[in-house]
Amino acid sequence: MKFLRMKPGHGEVLIAEGDVEVREDEERLVDEFRRQLDAGMWAAVPLSGRGRRTAQLARSFDEVPRDAERVIFFPRAAGG
Amino acid sequence: MLLALAATALVAIALLWEAAAPRLVEAIERRRARRKLVPTADYDPGRERRAEARARQLLRSCVNEEEWAMYRDLGFVRVWGTQSERPGGHEAAAGTPYAYLIYPHKPILAYLPQTGRLLNEYCVAFPDETRPYGSARLPDSDDVLAKWMALTGDERRLIETANLHLPGRQLDPRQVRRDLWRLRQWERERARAAVAAT
């Protein structure tokens, strides 16, 4: 599983990577996930299916599907 | 003789030093002050272009082929609405399908595809206050992807976060109607090409 973060002036940046089946990796990913949300990010998991594609917003690491390949973090929405 | 010349040279150097020293010290201080200036992230068009190229690749990898082609060809993405109530509480529009147009760094526009009626503008932004290169603004395609993920992931949450306005506040309704016409033409053309390919 890869954690990507959108960044102004750069595009996405790989911030963490690991195998959720490996305990140490999972703990690292959970910590990083929490850190990103604490920093004001939203997390989304792009879902690929046949035809229409969607994303799933995750408010905690538990909501991220175990087989997700990537989680994209982006700044939380604000009224413009 | 040599002694006299050496003494004269020493006096000359001392006098020159007296005259030049203040200027030299000032120049050194000025140079130090310049180096102490807070570094500003200058606008770098090359960096912005590379960021946008990366963002386009990421967007392409997330949306489906039609949405990607729409963005590439028309500059916006249409996302169908999924709430049972129409956005903005439009009673007259209840029960009919509605959709959003996502433009980079512009409000999201809700409309009725069947009639072309414009419903609302939703002003929303994704500012990154860490400002890594001096700007809080995501690349265009990242902004579109953020809106797309937020809309398809939790439409209600995004709509509730956004500032609601009537159409025409930031997006020119004539331009939007023209975009909707372009979208219909584009879809017809794709349908024709798909039939021809079979």
Side-chain angles (χ1 to χ4, degrees):
Chain A
M1 187 183 288
K2 286 181 180 175
F3 283 3
L4 306 173
R5 175 174 168 168
M6 291 180 181
K7 194 173 168 186
H10 192 281
E12 90 276 10
V13 178
L14 178 66
I15 52 173
E17 188 174 13
D19 183 348
V20 289
E21 301 306 325
V22 177
R23 201 167 58 84
E24 291 79 17
D25 281 13
E26 188 184 15
E27 283 172 5
R28 199 163 38 80
L29 291 173
V30 169
D31 288 346
E32 187 57 41
F33 190 95
R34 201 172 294 134
R35 192 162 30 246
Q36 292 299 322
L37 261 59
D38 288 346
M41 296 286 130
W42 278 3
V45 181
L47 304 173
S48 53
R50 285 164 53 192
R52 185 169 185 262
R53 289 191 180 182
T54 57
Q56 178 190 330
L57 293 191
R59 294 173 197 243
S60 72
F61 189 77
D62 294 341
E63 292 179 10
V64 177
R66 300 287 290 178
D67 60 348
E69 289 180 4
R70 55 192 175 164
V71 179
I72 300 175
F73 294 92
F74 57 102
R76 79 161 63 108
Chain B
M1 178 69 180
L2 272 175
L3 194 64
L5 278 174
T8 309
L10 275 175
V11 169
I13 289 169
L15 287 171
L16 277 173
W17 175 252
E18 279 296 312
R23 287 184 189 173
L24 197 64
V25 169
E26 193 184 329
I28 291 168
E29 281 174 357
R30 220 180 272 161
R31 182 178 160 78
R32 276 189 192 147
R34 269 203 302 273
R35 290 171 70 183
K36 277 184 188 170
L37 282 177
V38 178
T40 55
D42 293 330
Y43 177 74
D44 177 354
R47 186 186 60 225
E48 297 298 327
R49 270 200 299 273
R50 287 190 296 277
E52 175 57 19
R54 259 187 224 112
R56 284 175 78 85
Q57 287 305 314
L58 185 65
L59 174 64
R60 187 177 190 175
S61 71
C62 293
V63 300
N64 67 20
E65 191 275 329
E66 185 194 38
E67 289 168 325
W68 166 250
M70 193 182 294
Y71 182 63
R72 181 196 59 206
D73 297 344
L74 304 174
F76 56 82
V77 175
R78 177 192 54 205
V79 172
W80 292 97
T82 56
Q83 293 185 78
S84 53
E85 295 167 20
R86 297 293 81 84
H90 281 269
E91 292 301 324
T96 52
Y98 66 98
Y100 299 99
L101 293 185
I102 301 177
Y103 295 92
H105 296 296
K106 286 185 184 171
I108 296 170
L109 184 107
Y111 75 104
L112 299 178
Q114 284 182 337
T115 59
R117 181 179 167 195
L118 310 184
L119 298 176
N120 297 305
E121 283 183 13
Y122 295 96
C123 298
V124 65
F126 299 90
D128 186 340
E129 295 305 339
T130 62
R131 298 172 181 262
Y133 293 97
S135 168
R137 196 176 150 106
L138 292 173
D140 285 358
S141 298
D142 272 353
D143 182 72
V144 169
L145 179 57
K147 287 170 180 159
W148 180 88
M149 290 192 297
L151 262 184
T152 60
D154 195 340
E155 180 182 339
R156 184 178 292 275
R157 185 181 179 191
L158 182 69
I159 293 308
E160 284 175 359
T161 305
N163 287 330
L164 169 69
H165 296 292
L166 292 173
R169 183 177 166 95
Q170 285 191 54
L171 293 167
D172 181 353
R174 284 172 304 180
Q175 181 61 50
V176 174
R177 289 198 182 92
R178 179 160 178 76
D179 284 345
L180 291 176
W181 176 82
R182 287 170 62 220
L183 177 58
R184 285 194 297 274
Q185 299 294 111
W186 182 83
E187 287 184 308
R188 267 189 216 126
E189 193 55 46
R190 271 175 66 92
R192 226 176 276 144
V195 169
T198 54

